[in-house]
Amino acid sequence: MTRVAAVDCGTNSIRLLVADATVSNGASGTGATGELVDLDRRMTIVRLGQGVDRTGRLAPEALQRTFAACREYAAIIKEHGAERLRFVATSASRDAENRDEFVRGVLDILGVEPEVITGDQEAEFSFTGATKELAGGDHLPRPYLVVDIGGGSTEFVVGDDRVRAARSVDIGCVRMTERHLVRDGVVSDPPSAEQIAAMRADIETALDLAEQTVPLREARTLVGLAGSVTTVSAIAQELPEYDSEAINHSRVSHDRVREITEWLLRSTHAERAAVPSMHPGRVDVIGAGALVLLSIMERIGAQEVVVSEHDILDGIAWSIA
């Protein structure tokens, strides 16, 4: 057993997992099974990717929000006595001209250099995190298509026990919102039909790109990860508050995803903020994230999505266990 700490810093949020990891080799000796026992799992909305799609740079205020969260996480990691720490940074910091400033700040606070990983690496971590706990059961038909809808990008991974093909494309919920739903610095409330149509066309183009590498339509089980998908599940279940246990491995039908997406895209900020399971940091970007999910389901003909609370963060933890 190894006590590990994993940090996933994305475009919209930064997350921490401190866990005790036990790895068991499968019959093939590949180390395909195991157990993570959470000691602390938390998420902070920092919007690191604020304006990156437009300016190509990390905004000073976004860096300060992220560094404040890192200082909080450093104290938690020290308190739990984690033996190993890995900090992975994804889409926003890949794209930014001034990412060296981000790297120096994290190194000063946490003592480790953030690894600005490629989209393909991000996809593999997501697949491992989402499917390792499914490996021991046969209740879900394979191959899986794991989709991780982040703030700046979405990762697509098809695989059985291992990754067969993966691709990252730039259709995250923050990027789509900033690109299509912002006018004069303000998110449209609600967006116009023309804005939604332009966003949908952008998503479809990105799906065409993903299909050049990943056989999306060969998947027999769609597994959805990250905040946009888990929030859709929480809304579908009409949860009185965000409940990870109720959300993990829940299933949401295509029709229900469509209903929720349509409501999110015609609702006002106040109406979305009133949803009890909605994180305040997702209110303005959840419509775009839900539309990405709906577009994927329609592209592959999926009748439902299996929602997982285990994702890239768990994959990072497994990688250092």
Side-chain angles (χ1 to χ4, degrees), residues 19-57:
D20 286 332
T22 304
V23 179
S24 303
N25 287 333
S28 61
T30 60
T33 62
E35 182 182 19
L36 283 179
V37 178
D38 290 11
L39 301 175
D40 200 306
R41 185 188 291 260
R42 62 184 65 202
M43 182 267 291
T44 308
I45 299 286
V46 294
R47 201 65 63 86
L48 178 62
Q50 172 192 335
V52 167
D53 193 56
R54 177 176 53 84
T55 67
R57 296 180 62 82

Side-chain angles (χ1 to χ4, degrees), residues 95-279:
D95 301 338
E97 295 173 5
N98 60 333
R99 68 183 189 181
D100 287 349
E101 184 179 350
F102 166 70
V103 171
R104 287 194 303 271
V106 172
L107 183 59
D108 288 346
I109 295 166
L110 286 167
V112 296
E113 187 169 314
E115 300 173 54
V116 182
I117 61 174
T118 67
D120 286 345
Q121 289 174 303
E122 190 173 345
E124 292 208 22
F125 282 143
S126 295
F127 185 83
T128 301
T131 64
K132 186 175 280 285
E133 66 178 0
L134 302 176
D138 297 320
H139 60 292
L140 293 175
R142 305 179 192 186
Y144 308 116
L145 169 60
V146 174
V147 293
D148 186 341
I149 303 172
S153 61
T154 293
E155 282 64 57
F156 297 84
V157 197
V158 165
D160 298 285
D161 294 325
R162 297 183 178 184
V163 173
R164 283 170 39 191
R167 185 71 178 261
S168 176
V169 294
D170 289 340
I171 51 169
C173 60
V174 174
R175 192 185 299 271
M176 290 295 95
T177 300
E178 292 189 346
R179 185 178 293 175
H180 296 289
L181 306 185
V182 174
R183 292 292 180 270
D184 300 320
V186 178
V187 177
S188 299
D189 187 27
S192 67
E194 292 76 15
Q195 287 175 305
I196 294 170
M199 180 166 61
R200 182 65 181 255
D202 204 359
I203 293 169
E204 293 297 335
T205 298
L207 292 179
D208 291 340
L209 189 63
E211 277 202 290
Q212 293 177 9
T213 307
V214 182
L216 304 180
R217 299 171 209 249
E218 291 183 11
R220 298 184 63 202
T221 296
L222 173 64
V223 182
L225 317 182
S228 292
V229 180
T230 59
T231 300
V232 166
S233 173
I235 295 171
Q237 297 181 64
E238 300 181 356
L239 297 178
E241 60 184 8
Y242 193 93
D243 183 342
S244 294
E245 288 192 14
I247 291 168
N248 192 42
H249 293 175
S250 61
R251 302 185 185 200
V252 187
S253 71
H254 166 265
D255 288 346
R256 193 75 175 104
V257 172
R258 187 186 67 248
E259 290 171 4
I260 291 167
T261 302
E262 290 175 352
W263 178 80
L264 289 168
L265 290 172
R266 68 172 182 266
S267 62
T268 65
H269 177 97
E271 288 170 333
R272 295 189 300 276
V275 174
S277 57
M278 180 80 68
H279 191 287

